[in-house]
Amino acid sequence: MDDDLPPDLARLRTLETWAAHYLTRIRTRIAAVERQQARPPQAPAPTAAPPSRPATGPGPARPPDWGLAEAGIGVPATEIHRGDCWASGKKLLPVSAELAGGARACDACRPDRVFNRP
């Protein structure tokens, strides 16, 4: 014979057992797919809303509206800055307009224009 099957009976019986087992698995899967297709389509399951913040903890603290930047490297004297000022340095100490009296106003963000409004 000129085929790819083994010539002895023992190996042919092994292949027959394997093929019968595999055919049972295929028929079981066919039946499951037919049952699934026979059912009416279902609405997709609702998914959980993504968290608004990462699970690692709260986000960075919001900068204060006004703040004092202490004198140090790059800051020649204690200055008042707006919270969004790029020249304020790494840390602003929150302060209100009433408590900021006497401190120099930043030349970049000019908070004195807002402090001295009539």
Side-chain angles (χ1 to χ4, degrees):
M1 277 196 223
D2 191 24
D3 58 39
D4 58 347
L5 295 175
D8 59 298
L9 186 58
R11 287 190 286 174
L12 286 170
R13 292 286 182 198
T14 301
L15 286 174
E16 180 186 32
T17 303
W18 178 85
H21 173 69
Y22 206 72
L23 184 59
T24 302
R25 288 184 60 206
I26 292 171
R27 287 179 177 159
T28 302
R29 178 66 58 95
I30 288 171
V33 171
E34 286 175 342
R35 283 191 306 271
Q36 183 180 11
Q37 288 179 353
R39 285 186 274 173
Q42 295 179 354
T47 58
S52 59
R53 291 188 182 173
T56 57
R62 183 181 163 276
D65 293 333
W66 308 101
L68 283 173
E70 295 294 327
I73 298 174
V75 181
T78 301
E79 293 180 332
I80 298 291
H81 294 271
R82 288 192 335 223
D84 60 350
C85 179
W86 61 269
S88 64
K90 291 187 179 185
K91 185 174 181 182
L92 274 182
L93 302 172
V95 67
S96 65
E98 295 81 31
L99 298 175
R104 183 173 156 231
C106 171
D107 291 330
C109 65
R110 301 298 303 206
D112 56 331
R113 291 184 182 174
V114 178
F115 281 162
N116 293 332
R117 283 190 179 168

